C-alpha cells in the first residue's frame, strides 16, 4: 500500500482518537457535577430535619465532589486501567506468588526456603487430576486474551467510527468440550455482530468451532462456547457398569414365550372362511 493511501487512514484514526478523548472528558465532567449535585441534595434533605440545611448542603456537596472527582478520574484513566482488568488473573497470581515467597523467606530467614513453593506446582504437574485442572485454568486465560485480541481486530475493521467498543469479558470457565466465556456487549454492538464472526473467533482461539448465544434476560449478556475437542470421542466411564453382575442368570421361559410348551404350529388348523369362532 502506498504512502498516499495510508495517509487518509492515519488522519481518520487521529480524528477518531481525538473525538474519543473529548467524549471521555465530557463523561468525566458529567459524572463530577452529577455526583456533586446529588450529594448536596441528599445532604440538604437529611439535614433539613436538624434545622441546618446550609450545613447539610455544604457537607453533601463536599462529599459528592470527592466522589465525583474519583469517578471522573476513573473515566479518564480507564484506557490505562483496562489492561490491568484484562490481566487481573495473571497479576493476582504474580502478587500471591511473590507475597508467599516473601512470607516464607521472612519466617525462615533465608530466601532458599522459598523454593519450597515449587513443591505444590510439582505435585500439580505430576498428579493427573491436578494437572488437568491446571491445564484447563491455563486454557481459560489463553481464551480470555485471544477473545480480546479477536474482538479488537474485527470490530476495528468493521466499525472505524467507534473502534473502542470491545465486549467486556466477564468470566471464562472450563467445560468438557473447551471453554465457556460470558461477555457484556457495549453500546453499538449486538448479537448478530458476533454470530457472523464465529469462524474468526474459532480461529483466534485455536479451536474447532465457536457458538454465540444471547442471555434470555439481558441482550447485552452473551455466552460464547469454544469447542476444542469432542468429549464423547473417547471411552466414557459410567458408574452404572458396577451394578451389572459378573455372572448373569440363565434366561427362563416367560409367560408370552412358546418355548417349553410343546406346541407345534403345524398342528393348529387353518381358519375356515365364513365360519365365525
Amino acid at each position: 500500500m502506498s504512502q498516499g493511501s495510508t495517509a487518509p487512514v492515519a488522519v481518520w484514526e487521529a480524528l477518531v482518537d481525538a473525538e474519543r478523548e473529548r467524549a471521555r472528558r465530557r463523561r468525566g465532567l458529567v459524572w463530577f457535577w452529577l455526583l456533586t449535585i446529588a450529594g448536596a441534595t441528599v445532604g440538604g434533605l437529611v439535614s433539613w430535619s436538624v434545622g441546618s440545611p446550609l450545613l447539610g448542603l455544604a457537607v453533601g456537596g463536599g462529599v459528592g465532589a470527592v466522589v465525583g472527582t474519583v469517578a471522573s478520574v476513573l473515566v479518564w484513566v480507564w484506557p490505562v486501567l483496562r489492561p490491568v482488568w484484562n490481566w487481573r488473573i495473571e497479576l493476582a497470581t504474580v502478587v500471591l506468588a511473590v507475597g508467599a515467597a516473601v512470607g516464607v523467606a521472612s519466617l525462615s530467614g533465608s530466601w532458599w526456603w522459598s523454593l519450597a513453593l515449587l513443591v505444590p506446582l510439582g505435585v500439580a504437574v505430576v498428579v493427573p487430576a491436578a494437572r488437568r485442572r491446571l491445564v484447563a485454568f491455563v486454557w481459560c486465560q489463553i481464551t480470555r486474551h485471544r477473545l480480546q485480541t479477536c474482538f479488537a481486530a474485527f470490530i476495528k475493521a468493521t466499525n472505524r467510527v467507534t473502534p473502542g467498543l470491545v465486549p467486556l469479558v466477564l468470566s471464562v470457565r472450563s467445560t468438557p468440550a473447551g471453554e465457556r466465556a460470558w461477555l457484556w456487549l457495549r453500546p453499538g454492538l449486538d448479537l448478530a455482530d458476533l454470530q457472523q464472526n464465529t469462524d474468526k473467533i474459532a480461529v483466534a482461539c485455536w479451536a474447532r468451532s465457536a457458538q454465540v448465544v444471547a442471555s434470555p434476560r439481558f441482550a447485552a449478556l452473551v455466552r460464547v462456547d469454544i469447542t476444542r475437542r469432542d468429549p464423547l470421542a473417547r471411552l466414557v466411564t459410567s458408574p452404572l457398569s458396577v451394578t451389572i453382575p459378573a455372572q448373569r442368570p440363565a434366561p427362563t421361559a416367560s409367560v408370552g414365550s412358546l418355548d417349553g410348551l410343546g406346541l407345534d404350529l403345524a398342528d393348529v388348523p387353518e381358519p375356515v372362511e365364513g365360519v365365525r369362532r
Side-chain angles (χ1 to χ4, degrees):
M1 185 179 292
S2 62
Q3 184 177 0
S5 59
T6 58
V9 176
V11 172
W12 176 261
E13 292 181 352
L15 292 175
V16 170
D17 292 339
E19 180 61 28
R20 290 174 57 192
E21 183 67 24
R22 287 193 294 269
R24 188 162 51 246
R25 292 179 180 177
R26 287 195 297 268
R27 287 196 301 269
L29 291 175
V30 167
W31 277 106
F32 172 78
W33 288 111
L34 179 63
L35 293 178
T36 301
I37 295 173
T41 303
V42 172
L45 293 176
V46 171
S47 61
W48 187 273
S49 59
V50 183
S52 55
L54 296 179
L55 180 61
L57 288 174
V59 174
V63 174
V66 172
V67 177
T69 301
V70 174
S72 61
V73 170
L74 291 177
V75 171
W76 289 340
V77 302
W78 172 246
V80 180
L81 295 179
R82 181 170 186 140
V84 177
W85 169 261
N86 294 337
W87 291 85
R88 62 189 183 277
I89 304 297
E90 291 80 2
L91 293 176
T93 303
V94 172
V95 170
L96 289 177
V98 173
V102 172
V104 171
S106 61
L107 292 176
S108 61
S110 175
W111 283 97
W112 290 103
W113 285 100
S114 300
L115 297 177
L117 297 175
L118 297 177
V119 175
L121 181 61
V123 172
V125 173
V126 173
V127 178
R131 183 174 63 251
R132 287 192 295 267
R133 291 182 177 273
L134 180 61
V135 171
F137 174 78
V138 173
W139 271 113
C140 288
Q141 308 314 313
I142 293 175
T143 301
R144 178 193 301 275
H145 296 297
R146 297 304 299 172
L147 285 175
Q148 293 165 353
T149 303
C150 177
F151 294 151
F154 74 74
I155 289 177
K156 185 176 181 180
T158 57
N159 191 0
R160 291 186 176 274
V161 179
T162 55
L165 298 177
V166 179
L168 186 64
V169 181
L170 300 178
S171 66
V172 181
R173 294 291 182 268
S174 178
T175 62
E179 294 83 35
R180 173 171 293 177
W182 287 97
L183 313 176
W184 186 264
L185 301 184
R186 309 294 182 86
L189 291 177
D190 56 9
L191 182 64
D193 294 333
L194 300 184
Q195 286 181 340
Q196 66 184 359
N197 291 282
T198 53
D199 294 337
K200 296 180 181 180
I201 295 175
V203 170
C205 294
W206 308 325
R208 288 185 179 182
S209 61
Q211 294 181 354
V212 181
V213 182
S215 171
R217 295 186 59 186
F218 303 101
L221 187 61
V222 174
R223 187 190 73 202
V224 180
D225 291 326
I226 306 297
T227 303
R228 299 187 182 278
R229 53 193 173 270
D230 186 4
L232 301 179
R234 61 182 185 274
L235 181 62
V236 180
T237 59
S238 175
L240 299 178
S241 60
V242 298
T243 62
I244 301 177
Q247 295 182 354
R248 302 179 64 182
T252 58
S254 60
V255 177
S257 177
L258 299 178
D259 297 337
L261 298 181
L263 296 178
D264 190 359
L265 295 179
D267 299 335
V268 179
E270 294 291 337
V272 179
E273 296 182 0
V275 178
R276 180 175 300 177
R277 294 175 179 268

